[in-house]
């Protein structure tokens, strides 16, 4: 019987993390410096575990390797996507990610990392770093060497509901007071450019990766062109954020009852707010804020009921 695959998140402690994942979603977090909820993950650094049904107790890595039919026989070697919720209690390091070709060559076959952010919540006046002002690689190198960070880095104000597409090669950083859902390629490769000269509890600065970072940075920076649009269907408003090479990402606001057809290899769902139920194969499953699940291949028609806001994605 085809069922939704509900997943147990994995939590990652970070120097910049806080307690918002507990306060906003009720998660049991490991410490007051919890920065990341790896909500739907088949990455070896934090694989999700299935909570329900015949596959309960299996990791998403195991399912991908042993039950590829659940994913429509999708051809990639590894599960392609990773969904996270990030609590930037303080500023993240300024960083950049490689593309597939560079990562494969330099990071033991790891995928590159193109990602995107949906701003769930943020403090008044919050911002993030998105791109830079250097016109050439030489100018980028000089501004980094001279530590002209205020001149180099582009700061963008943010508010809840904003969406940003962050292709590999984009210099970026989430800043203090933002809570973000991130959809990304399944990669954990990050090159730090600048970390505000922070030290850990032993007085050590975190490693920078300037040579690789400059190698992979897109110069000059160009903002990604997005065509965000919302359509209305019976019982739901569907916002299309991005349809790109690695993923398509949407926000679904359910109000009442809405019926859909699962016609992708598989779909990923994260419930940002509200509660209700999903009906699959004649069976109803409760869903609420903080739940994450996959609808496998062959789900066919399904329906949501209730008042829910979800981020939905597929490769």
């Amino acid at each position: 019987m085809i069922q939704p695959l509900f997943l147990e998140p994995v939590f990652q402690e970070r120097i910049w993390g806080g307690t918002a994942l507990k306060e906003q979603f009720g998660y049991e977090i490991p410490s007051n410096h919890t920065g990341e909820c790896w909500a739907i993950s088949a990455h070896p650094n934090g694989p999700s575990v299935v909570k329900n049904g015949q596959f309960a107790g299996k990791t998403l890595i195991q399912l991908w390797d042993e039950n590829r039919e659940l994913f429509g026989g999708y051809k990639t070697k590894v599960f392609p996507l990773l969904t996270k919720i990030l609590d930037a209690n303080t500023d993240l390091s300024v960083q950049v990610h490689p593309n597939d070709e560079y990562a494969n060559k330099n990071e033991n076959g790891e995928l590159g990392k193109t990602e995107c952010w949906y701003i769930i919540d943020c403090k008044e006046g919050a911002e993030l770093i998105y791109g830079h002002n250097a016109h050439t690689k030489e100018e980028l190198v000089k501004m980094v060497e001279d530590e002209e960070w205020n001149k180099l880095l582009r700061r963008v104000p943010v508010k809840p509901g904003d969406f940003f597409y962050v292709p590999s090669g984009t210099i970026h950083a989430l800043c203090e007071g933002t809570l973000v859902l991130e959809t990304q390629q399944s990669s954990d490769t990050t090159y730090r450019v600048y970390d505000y000269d922070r030290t850990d509890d032993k007085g050590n600065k975190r490693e920078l990766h300037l040579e690789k970072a400059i190698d992979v940075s897109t110069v000059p920076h160009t903002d990604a062109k997005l065509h965000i649009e919302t359509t209305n269907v019976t019982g739901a408003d569907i916002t299309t954020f991005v349809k790109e090479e690695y993923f398509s990402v949407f926000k679904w606001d359910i109000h009442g009852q809405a019926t859909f057809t699962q016609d992708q290899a598989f779909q990923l769902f994260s419930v940002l707010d509200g509660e209700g139920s999903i009906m699959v194969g004649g069976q109803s499953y409760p869903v609420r804020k903080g739940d994450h699940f996959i609808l496998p291949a062959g789900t066919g028609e399904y329906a949501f009921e209730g008042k829910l806001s979800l981020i939905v994605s597929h490769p």
Side-chain angles (χ1 to χ4, degrees), residues 185-230:
Q185 290 180 269
S186 184
S187 171
D188 202 22
T189 298
T190 292
Y191 300 148
R192 285 194 202 101
V193 178
Y194 177 52
D195 196 36
Y196 309 96
D197 298 318
R198 281 185 290 208
T199 56
D200 63 18
D201 51 12
K202 298 182 180 63
N204 300 314
K205 291 183 181 180
R206 292 198 295 173
E207 183 184 3
L208 300 179
H209 316 94
L210 290 178
E211 188 175 333
K212 287 180 174 178
I214 287 163
D215 266 356
V216 305
S217 292
T218 300
V219 183
H221 168 79
T222 54
D223 283 348
K225 298 283 191 288
L226 295 177
H227 302 286
I228 297 173
E229 58 183 10
T230 300

mmCIF file of all heavy atoms in Angstrom, residues 185-230:
data_model
loop_
_atom_site.group_PDB
_atom_site.id
_atom_site.type_symbol
_atom_site.label_atom_id
_atom_site.label_comp_id
_atom_site.label_asym_id
_atom_site.label_seq_id
_atom_site.Cartn_x
_atom_site.Cartn_y
_atom_site.Cartn_z
ATOM 1 N N GLN A 185 20.423 21.163 -3.243
ATOM 2 C CA GLN A 185 21.016 19.894 -3.638
ATOM 3 C C GLN A 185 21.554 19.194 -2.395
ATOM 4 O O GLN A 185 21.941 19.833 -1.416
ATOM 5 C CB GLN A 185 22.165 20.129 -4.615
ATOM 6 C CG GLN A 185 21.759 20.602 -5.981
ATOM 7 C CD GLN A 185 22.993 20.788 -6.852
ATOM 8 O OE1 GLN A 185 23.563 21.866 -6.908
ATOM 9 N NE2 GLN A 185 23.404 19.726 -7.526
ATOM 10 N N SER A 186 21.600 17.862 -2.443
ATOM 11 C CA SER A 186 22.050 17.097 -1.281
ATOM 12 C C SER A 186 23.577 17.142 -1.189
ATOM 13 O O SER A 186 24.281 16.243 -1.648
ATOM 14 C CB SER A 186 21.575 15.648 -1.373
ATOM 15 O OG SER A 186 21.948 14.946 -0.206
ATOM 16 N N SER A 187 24.056 18.236 -0.598
ATOM 17 C CA SER A 187 25.490 18.470 -0.496
ATOM 18 C C SER A 187 25.776 19.158 0.831
ATOM 19 O O SER A 187 24.938 19.904 1.343
ATOM 20 C CB SER A 187 25.957 19.362 -1.650
ATOM 21 O OG SER A 187 27.297 19.776 -1.464
ATOM 22 N N ASP A 188 26.962 18.908 1.387
ATOM 23 C CA ASP A 188 27.363 19.571 2.632
ATOM 24 C C ASP A 188 28.691 20.297 2.436
ATOM 25 O O ASP A 188 29.477 20.423 3.367
ATOM 26 C CB ASP A 188 27.457 18.539 3.767
ATOM 27 C CG ASP A 188 27.346 19.172 5.147
ATOM 28 O OD1 ASP A 188 26.791 20.287 5.244
ATOM 29 O OD2 ASP A 188 27.814 18.560 6.129
ATOM 30 N N THR A 189 28.929 20.752 1.205
ATOM 31 C CA THR A 189 30.199 21.414 0.875
ATOM 32 C C THR A 189 30.025 22.925 0.901
ATOM 33 O O THR A 189 29.233 23.479 0.137
ATOM 34 C CB THR A 189 30.703 20.982 -0.507
ATOM 35 O OG1 THR A 189 30.940 19.571 -0.489
ATOM 36 C CG2 THR A 189 31.998 21.691 -0.862
ATOM 37 N N THR A 190 30.765 23.567 1.801
ATOM 38 C CA THR A 190 30.699 25.023 1.971
ATOM 39 C C THR A 190 32.113 25.580 2.024
ATOM 40 O O THR A 190 32.962 25.042 2.739
ATOM 41 C CB THR A 190 29.966 25.367 3.287
ATOM 42 O OG1 THR A 190 28.592 25.007 3.170
ATOM 43 C CG2 THR A 190 30.053 26.854 3.596
ATOM 44 N N TYR A 191 32.352 26.648 1.279
ATOM 45 C CA TYR A 191 33.638 27.347 1.337
ATOM 46 C C TYR A 191 33.432 28.682 2.039
ATOM 47 O O TYR A 191 32.713 29.555 1.544
ATOM 48 C CB TYR A 191 34.192 27.567 -0.072
ATOM 49 C CG TYR A 191 34.424 26.290 -0.861
ATOM 50 C CD1 TYR A 191 34.268 26.264 -2.238
ATOM 51 C CD2 TYR A 191 34.807 25.108 -0.224
ATOM 52 C CE1 TYR A 191 34.486 25.100 -2.968
ATOM 53 C CE2 TYR A 191 35.023 23.943 -0.946
ATOM 54 C CZ TYR A 191 34.860 23.940 -2.307
ATOM 55 O OH TYR A 191 35.068 22.784 -3.031
ATOM 56 N N ARG A 192 34.063 28.829 3.213
ATOM 57 C CA ARG A 192 33.921 30.076 3.978
ATOM 58 C C ARG A 192 34.848 31.146 3.433
ATOM 59 O O ARG A 192 36.040 30.913 3.213
ATOM 60 C CB ARG A 192 34.245 29.842 5.454
ATOM 61 C CG ARG A 192 33.184 29.111 6.218
ATOM 62 C CD ARG A 192 33.403 29.197 7.732
ATOM 63 N NE ARG A 192 32.695 28.078 8.348
ATOM 64 C CZ ARG A 192 33.283 26.961 8.762
ATOM 65 N NH1 ARG A 192 34.595 26.819 8.641
ATOM 66 N NH2 ARG A 192 32.572 26.005 9.289
ATOM 67 N N VAL A 193 34.270 32.338 3.270
ATOM 68 C CA VAL A 193 35.014 33.502 2.801
ATOM 69 C C VAL A 193 35.400 34.397 3.983
ATOM 70 O O VAL A 193 36.497 34.951 4.033
ATOM 71 C CB VAL A 193 34.162 34.297 1.785
ATOM 72 C CG1 VAL A 193 34.886 35.542 1.306
ATOM 73 C CG2 VAL A 193 33.755 33.422 0.604
ATOM 74 N N TYR A 194 34.482 34.545 4.931
ATOM 75 C CA TYR A 194 34.680 35.467 6.060
ATOM 76 C C TYR A 194 33.799 34.998 7.202
ATOM 77 O O TYR A 194 32.644 34.617 6.996
ATOM 78 C CB TYR A 194 34.300 36.885 5.633
ATOM 79 C CG TYR A 194 34.394 37.938 6.707
ATOM 80 C CD1 TYR A 194 35.555 38.100 7.460
ATOM 81 C CD2 TYR A 194 33.317 38.786 6.969
ATOM 82 C CE1 TYR A 194 35.634 39.075 8.447
ATOM 83 C CE2 TYR A 194 33.389 39.772 7.942
ATOM 84 C CZ TYR A 194 34.548 39.905 8.679
ATOM 85 O OH TYR A 194 34.627 40.878 9.652
ATOM 86 N N ASP A 195 34.340 35.023 8.435
ATOM 87 C CA ASP A 195 33.577 34.546 9.589
ATOM 88 C C ASP A 195 33.607 35.549 10.745
ATOM 89 O O ASP A 195 33.531 35.168 11.906
ATOM 90 C CB ASP A 195 34.095 33.177 10.041
ATOM 91 C CG ASP A 195 33.117 32.453 10.965
ATOM 92 O OD1 ASP A 195 31.898 32.593 10.753
ATOM 93 O OD2 ASP A 195 33.578 31.771 11.905
ATOM 94 N N TYR A 196 33.751 36.827 10.420
ATOM 95 C CA TYR A 196 33.677 37.908 11.412
ATOM 96 C C TYR A 196 34.731 37.763 12.512
ATOM 97 O O TYR A 196 34.557 38.289 13.613
ATOM 98 C CB TYR A 196 32.266 37.968 12.039
ATOM 99 C CG TYR A 196 31.161 38.002 11.012
ATOM 100 C CD1 TYR A 196 30.508 36.832 10.624
ATOM 101 C CD2 TYR A 196 30.794 39.199 10.391
ATOM 102 C CE1 TYR A 196 29.509 36.846 9.660
ATOM 103 C CE2 TYR A 196 29.794 39.227 9.431
ATOM 104 C CZ TYR A 196 29.157 38.051 9.071
ATOM 105 O OH TYR A 196 28.167 38.076 8.115
ATOM 106 N N ASP A 197 35.810 37.011 12.207
ATOM 107 C CA ASP A 197 36.893 36.768 13.177
ATOM 108 C C ASP A 197 36.387 36.137 14.481
ATOM 109 O O ASP A 197 36.960 36.332 15.549
ATOM 110 C CB ASP A 197 37.667 38.061 13.473
ATOM 111 C CG ASP A 197 38.340 38.615 12.226
ATOM 112 O OD1 ASP A 197 38.906 37.822 11.460
ATOM 113 O OD2 ASP A 197 38.273 39.840 12.005
ATOM 114 N N ARG A 198 35.309 35.352 14.378
ATOM 115 C CA ARG A 198 34.761 34.684 15.563
ATOM 116 C C ARG A 198 35.682 33.575 16.043
ATOM 117 O O ARG A 198 36.388 32.955 15.245
ATOM 118 C CB ARG A 198 33.393 34.063 15.237
ATOM 119 C CG ARG A 198 32.261 35.031 15.229
ATOM 120 C CD ARG A 198 30.949 34.313 15.021
ATOM 121 N NE ARG A 198 30.795 33.786 13.676
ATOM 122 C CZ ARG A 198 29.614 33.618 13.075
ATOM 123 N NH1 ARG A 198 28.508 33.939 13.713
ATOM 124 N NH2 ARG A 198 29.532 33.130 11.862
ATOM 125 N N THR A 199 35.590 33.292 17.334
ATOM 126 C CA THR A 199 36.321 32.145 17.892
ATOM 127 C C THR A 199 35.343 31.227 18.618
ATOM 128 O O THR A 199 34.298 31.663 19.106
ATOM 129 C CB THR A 199 37.398 32.603 18.895
ATOM 130 O OG1 THR A 199 36.779 33.402 19.913
ATOM 131 C CG2 THR A 199 38.479 33.420 18.194
ATOM 132 N N ASP A 200 35.700 29.939 18.669
ATOM 133 C CA ASP A 200 34.865 28.988 19.413
ATOM 134 C C ASP A 200 35.216 29.063 20.895
ATOM 135 O O ASP A 200 36.002 29.917 21.335
ATOM 136 C CB ASP A 200 35.033 27.576 18.848
ATOM 137 C CG ASP A 200 36.454 27.039 18.982
ATOM 138 O OD1 ASP A 200 37.241 27.576 19.796
ATOM 139 O OD2 ASP A 200 36.785 26.064 18.272
ATOM 140 N N ASP A 201 34.638 28.145 21.702
ATOM 141 C CA ASP A 201 34.850 28.225 23.160
ATOM 142 C C ASP A 201 36.286 27.888 23.561
ATOM 143 O O ASP A 201 36.666 28.063 24.714
ATOM 144 C CB ASP A 201 33.858 27.329 23.908
ATOM 145 C CG ASP A 201 33.824 25.899 23.387
ATOM 146 O OD1 ASP A 201 34.720 25.544 22.599
ATOM 147 O OD2 ASP A 201 32.896 25.148 23.753
ATOM 148 N N LYS A 202 37.084 27.423 22.604
ATOM 149 C CA LYS A 202 38.505 27.159 22.877
ATOM 150 C C LYS A 202 39.396 28.263 22.317
ATOM 151 O O LYS A 202 40.627 28.154 22.324
ATOM 152 C CB LYS A 202 38.919 25.805 22.288
ATOM 153 C CG LYS A 202 38.184 24.614 22.882
ATOM 154 C CD LYS A 202 38.681 23.312 22.290
ATOM 155 C CE LYS A 202 37.957 22.120 22.887
ATOM 156 N NZ LYS A 202 36.505 22.109 22.610
ATOM 157 N N GLY A 203 38.766 29.316 21.772
ATOM 158 C CA GLY A 203 39.526 30.445 21.252
ATOM 159 C C GLY A 203 40.023 30.270 19.833
ATOM 160 O O GLY A 203 40.822 31.070 19.345
ATOM 161 N N ASN A 204 39.537 29.229 19.140
ATOM 162 C CA ASN A 204 39.986 28.973 17.772
ATOM 163 C C ASN A 204 39.029 29.586 16.757
ATOM 164 O O ASN A 204 37.801 29.501 16.903
ATOM 165 C CB ASN A 204 40.060 27.465 17.521
ATOM 166 C CG ASN A 204 41.021 26.774 18.475
ATOM 167 O OD1 ASN A 204 42.130 27.246 18.677
ATOM 168 N ND2 ASN A 204 40.583 25.675 19.071
ATOM 169 N N LYS A 205 39.607 30.188 15.720
ATOM 170 C CA LYS A 205 38.791 30.663 14.600
ATOM 171 C C LYS A 205 38.434 29.483 13.703
ATOM 172 O O LYS A 205 39.184 28.517 13.607
ATOM 173 C CB LYS A 205 39.570 31.705 13.780
ATOM 174 C CG LYS A 205 39.796 33.019 14.515
ATOM 175 C CD LYS A 205 40.500 34.017 13.603
ATOM 176 C CE LYS A 205 40.761 35.318 14.341
ATOM 177 N NZ LYS A 205 41.444 36.323 13.492
ATOM 178 N N ARG A 206 37.267 29.573 13.044
ATOM 179 C CA ARG A 206 36.895 28.522 12.098
ATOM 180 C C ARG A 206 37.691 28.689 10.808
ATOM 181 O O ARG A 206 38.056 29.796 10.413
ATOM 182 C CB ARG A 206 35.392 28.574 11.814
ATOM 183 C CG ARG A 206 34.561 28.191 13.013
ATOM 184 C CD ARG A 206 33.142 27.821 12.635
ATOM 185 N NE ARG A 206 32.396 28.945 12.091
ATOM 186 C CZ ARG A 206 31.185 28.842 11.575
ATOM 187 N NH1 ARG A 206 30.579 27.668 11.514
ATOM 188 N NH2 ARG A 206 30.549 29.904 11.108
ATOM 189 N N GLU A 207 37.913 27.554 10.160
ATOM 190 C CA GLU A 207 38.721 27.535 8.946
ATOM 191 C C GLU A 207 38.046 28.314 7.823
ATOM 192 O O GLU A 207 36.831 28.226 7.629
ATOM 193 C CB GLU A 207 38.929 26.082 8.507
ATOM 194 C CG GLU A 207 39.811 25.924 7.279
ATOM 195 C CD GLU A 207 39.912 24.477 6.807
ATOM 196 O OE1 GLU A 207 39.256 23.596 7.404
ATOM 197 O OE2 GLU A 207 40.644 24.246 5.828
ATOM 198 N N LEU A 208 38.842 29.081 7.079
ATOM 199 C CA LEU A 208 38.373 29.707 5.845
ATOM 200 C C LEU A 208 38.878 28.876 4.659
ATOM 201 O O LEU A 208 39.807 28.091 4.786
ATOM 202 C CB LEU A 208 38.880 31.143 5.745
ATOM 203 C CG LEU A 208 38.456 32.088 6.877
ATOM 204 C CD1 LEU A 208 39.052 33.478 6.657
ATOM 205 C CD2 LEU A 208 36.945 32.173 7.015
ATOM 206 N N HIS A 209 38.263 29.075 3.515
ATOM 207 C CA HIS A 209 38.608 28.285 2.318
ATOM 208 C C HIS A 209 38.744 29.242 1.141
ATOM 209 O O HIS A 209 38.061 29.101 0.124
ATOM 210 C CB HIS A 209 37.528 27.238 2.031
ATOM 211 C CG HIS A 209 37.056 26.495 3.251
ATOM 212 N ND1 HIS A 209 35.951 26.888 3.983
ATOM 213 C CD2 HIS A 209 37.554 25.393 3.875
ATOM 214 C CE1 HIS A 209 35.782 26.056 4.994
ATOM 215 N NE2 HIS A 209 36.738 25.147 4.957
ATOM 216 N N LEU A 210 39.632 30.239 1.282
ATOM 217 C CA LEU A 210 39.642 31.368 0.353
ATOM 218 C C LEU A 210 40.012 30.969 -1.069
ATOM 219 O O LEU A 210 39.416 31.469 -2.030
ATOM 220 C CB LEU A 210 40.589 32.458 0.862
ATOM 221 C CG LEU A 210 40.097 33.196 2.121
ATOM 222 C CD1 LEU A 210 41.125 34.222 2.573
ATOM 223 C CD2 LEU A 210 38.757 33.870 1.857
ATOM 224 N N GLU A 211 40.966 30.077 -1.227
ATOM 225 C CA GLU A 211 41.390 29.710 -2.585
ATOM 226 C C GLU A 211 40.238 29.055 -3.357
ATOM 227 O O GLU A 211 39.920 29.449 -4.488
ATOM 228 C CB GLU A 211 42.604 28.775 -2.522
ATOM 229 C CG GLU A 211 43.206 28.514 -3.889
ATOM 230 C CD GLU A 211 44.479 27.683 -3.815
ATOM 231 O OE1 GLU A 211 45.179 27.720 -2.778
ATOM 232 O OE2 GLU A 211 44.762 26.973 -4.800
ATOM 233 N N LYS A 212 39.593 28.076 -2.726
ATOM 234 C CA LYS A 212 38.461 27.412 -3.382
ATOM 235 C C LYS A 212 37.290 28.369 -3.563
ATOM 236 O O LYS A 212 36.608 28.358 -4.593
ATOM 237 C CB LYS A 212 38.028 26.187 -2.577
ATOM 238 C CG LYS A 212 38.995 25.009 -2.672
ATOM 239 C CD LYS A 212 38.500 23.822 -1.848
ATOM 240 C CE LYS A 212 39.385 22.600 -2.051
ATOM 241 N NZ LYS A 212 38.931 21.451 -1.220
ATOM 242 N N ALA A 213 37.048 29.206 -2.545
ATOM 243 C CA ALA A 213 35.928 30.147 -2.624
ATOM 244 C C ALA A 213 36.085 31.098 -3.807
ATOM 245 O O ALA A 213 35.134 31.339 -4.569
ATOM 246 C CB ALA A 213 35.820 30.938 -1.320
ATOM 247 N N ILE A 214 37.283 31.612 -3.986
ATOM 248 C CA ILE A 214 37.522 32.538 -5.110
ATOM 249 C C ILE A 214 37.437 31.782 -6.433
ATOM 250 O O ILE A 214 36.899 32.285 -7.419
ATOM 251 C CB ILE A 214 38.869 33.264 -4.909
ATOM 252 C CG1 ILE A 214 38.710 34.302 -3.775
ATOM 253 C CG2 ILE A 214 39.329 33.940 -6.196
ATOM 254 C CD1 ILE A 214 39.992 34.801 -3.191
ATOM 255 N N ASP A 215 37.936 30.538 -6.443
ATOM 256 C CA ASP A 215 37.819 29.689 -7.641
ATOM 257 C C ASP A 215 36.379 29.607 -8.137
ATOM 258 O O ASP A 215 36.111 29.706 -9.333
ATOM 259 C CB ASP A 215 38.272 28.252 -7.322
ATOM 260 C CG ASP A 215 39.731 28.017 -7.652
ATOM 261 O OD1 ASP A 215 40.372 28.931 -8.201
ATOM 262 O OD2 ASP A 215 40.220 26.910 -7.359
ATOM 263 N N VAL A 216 35.433 29.369 -7.211
ATOM 264 C CA VAL A 216 34.075 29.025 -7.623
ATOM 265 C C VAL A 216 33.112 30.215 -7.659
ATOM 266 O O VAL A 216 31.995 30.088 -8.166
ATOM 267 C CB VAL A 216 33.472 27.917 -6.716
ATOM 268 C CG1 VAL A 216 34.386 26.705 -6.681
ATOM 269 C CG2 VAL A 216 33.166 28.418 -5.311
ATOM 270 N N SER A 217 33.535 31.370 -7.143
ATOM 271 C CA SER A 217 32.620 32.519 -7.077
ATOM 272 C C SER A 217 32.307 33.063 -8.462
ATOM 273 O O SER A 217 33.200 33.212 -9.306
ATOM 274 C CB SER A 217 33.213 33.633 -6.214
ATOM 275 O OG SER A 217 33.281 33.232 -4.866
ATOM 276 N N THR A 218 31.038 33.376 -8.678
ATOM 277 C CA THR A 218 30.595 34.000 -9.922
ATOM 278 C C THR A 218 30.916 35.486 -9.865
ATOM 279 O O THR A 218 30.496 36.192 -8.939
ATOM 280 C CB THR A 218 29.074 33.801 -10.106
ATOM 281 O OG1 THR A 218 28.804 32.399 -10.141
ATOM 282 C CG2 THR A 218 28.588 34.463 -11.385
ATOM 283 N N VAL A 219 31.688 35.956 -10.842
ATOM 284 C CA VAL A 219 32.093 37.369 -10.912
ATOM 285 C C VAL A 219 31.864 37.879 -12.330
ATOM 286 O O VAL A 219 32.325 37.250 -13.281
ATOM 287 C CB VAL A 219 33.582 37.541 -10.531
ATOM 288 C CG1 VAL A 219 33.962 39.017 -10.538
ATOM 289 C CG2 VAL A 219 33.896 36.920 -9.174
ATOM 290 N N PRO A 220 31.157 39.002 -12.517
ATOM 291 C CA PRO A 220 30.426 39.749 -11.479
ATOM 292 C C PRO A 220 29.165 39.021 -11.064
ATOM 293 O O PRO A 220 28.664 38.150 -11.780
ATOM 294 C CB PRO A 220 30.103 41.077 -12.176
ATOM 295 C CG PRO A 220 30.037 40.727 -13.636
ATOM 296 C CD PRO A 220 31.057 39.639 -13.852
ATOM 297 N N HIS A 221 28.650 39.387 -9.892
ATOM 298 C CA HIS A 221 27.401 38.798 -9.406
ATOM 299 C C HIS A 221 26.223 39.298 -10.231
ATOM 300 O O HIS A 221 26.169 40.464 -10.607
ATOM 301 C CB HIS A 221 27.176 39.182 -7.937
ATOM 302 C CG HIS A 221 25.796 38.867 -7.448
ATOM 303 N ND1 HIS A 221 25.414 37.603 -7.084
ATOM 304 C CD2 HIS A 221 24.698 39.659 -7.307
ATOM 305 C CE1 HIS A 221 24.142 37.621 -6.714
ATOM 306 N NE2 HIS A 221 23.677 38.851 -6.840
ATOM 307 N N THR A 222 25.291 38.391 -10.517
ATOM 308 C CA THR A 222 24.022 38.800 -11.115
ATOM 309 C C THR A 222 22.888 38.168 -10.316
ATOM 310 O O THR A 222 22.956 36.978 -9.974
ATOM 311 C CB THR A 222 23.902 38.368 -12.587
ATOM 312 O OG1 THR A 222 24.144 36.950 -12.672
ATOM 313 C CG2 THR A 222 24.911 39.088 -13.455
ATOM 314 N N ASP A 223 21.860 38.945 -10.014
ATOM 315 C CA ASP A 223 20.707 38.416 -9.292
ATOM 316 C C ASP A 223 19.960 37.415 -10.159
ATOM 317 O O ASP A 223 19.789 37.629 -11.359
ATOM 318 C CB ASP A 223 19.746 39.538 -8.911
ATOM 319 C CG ASP A 223 20.232 40.343 -7.709
ATOM 320 O OD1 ASP A 223 21.180 39.892 -7.041
ATOM 321 O OD2 ASP A 223 19.668 41.422 -7.451
ATOM 322 N N ALA A 224 19.518 36.328 -9.534
ATOM 323 C CA ALA A 224 18.698 35.349 -10.255
ATOM 324 C C ALA A 224 17.366 35.995 -10.620
ATOM 325 O O ALA A 224 16.771 36.721 -9.835
ATOM 326 C CB ALA A 224 18.468 34.128 -9.375
ATOM 327 N N LYS A 225 16.911 35.747 -11.832
ATOM 328 C CA LYS A 225 15.624 36.266 -12.297
ATOM 329 C C LYS A 225 14.525 35.265 -11.929
ATOM 330 O O LYS A 225 14.543 34.128 -12.385
ATOM 331 C CB LYS A 225 15.656 36.473 -13.821
ATOM 332 C CG LYS A 225 16.694 37.504 -14.288
ATOM 333 C CD LYS A 225 16.201 38.919 -14.046
ATOM 334 C CE LYS A 225 17.096 39.948 -14.735
ATOM 335 N NZ LYS A 225 18.400 40.102 -14.098
ATOM 336 N N LEU A 226 13.587 35.695 -11.113
ATOM 337 C CA LEU A 226 12.492 34.837 -10.689
ATOM 338 C C LEU A 226 11.175 35.355 -11.244
ATOM 339 O O LEU A 226 10.993 36.556 -11.413
ATOM 340 C CB LEU A 226 12.412 34.791 -9.157
ATOM 341 C CG LEU A 226 13.593 34.159 -8.423
ATOM 342 C CD1 LEU A 226 13.381 34.258 -6.912
ATOM 343 C CD2 LEU A 226 13.776 32.707 -8.831
ATOM 344 N N HIS A 227 10.283 34.434 -11.514
ATOM 345 C CA HIS A 227 8.934 34.783 -11.961
ATOM 346 C C HIS A 227 7.947 34.138 -10.994
ATOM 347 O O HIS A 227 7.316 33.129 -11.309
ATOM 348 C CB HIS A 227 8.705 34.313 -13.398
ATOM 349 C CG HIS A 227 9.694 34.875 -14.376
ATOM 350 N ND1 HIS A 227 9.648 36.184 -14.802
ATOM 351 C CD2 HIS A 227 10.764 34.318 -14.978
ATOM 352 C CE1 HIS A 227 10.644 36.404 -15.645
ATOM 353 N NE2 HIS A 227 11.344 35.290 -15.761
ATOM 354 N N ILE A 228 7.848 34.733 -9.806
ATOM 355 C CA ILE A 228 6.984 34.181 -8.767
ATOM 356 C C ILE A 228 5.536 34.519 -9.095
ATOM 357 O O ILE A 228 5.207 35.670 -9.372
ATOM 358 C CB ILE A 228 7.381 34.743 -7.388
ATOM 359 C CG1 ILE A 228 8.815 34.302 -7.037
ATOM 360 C CG2 ILE A 228 6.403 34.292 -6.314
ATOM 361 C CD1 ILE A 228 9.382 34.933 -5.790
ATOM 362 N N GLU A 229 4.691 33.489 -9.078
ATOM 363 C CA GLU A 229 3.280 33.733 -9.371
ATOM 364 C C GLU A 229 2.413 32.812 -8.532
ATOM 365 O O GLU A 229 2.826 31.707 -8.164
ATOM 366 C CB GLU A 229 2.985 33.536 -10.855
ATOM 367 C CG GLU A 229 3.328 32.165 -11.402
ATOM 368 C CD GLU A 229 3.077 32.044 -12.902
ATOM 369 O OE1 GLU A 229 2.822 33.074 -13.541
ATOM 370 O OE2 GLU A 229 3.126 30.919 -13.402
ATOM 371 N N THR A 230 1.204 33.288 -8.227
ATOM 372 C CA THR A 230 0.258 32.522 -7.423
ATOM 373 C C THR A 230 -0.985 32.236 -8.242
ATOM 374 O O THR A 230 -1.533 33.131 -8.895
ATOM 375 C CB THR A 230 -0.122 33.290 -6.142
ATOM 376 O OG1 THR A 230 1.049 33.527 -5.371
ATOM 377 C CG2 THR A 230 -1.107 32.494 -5.297
#
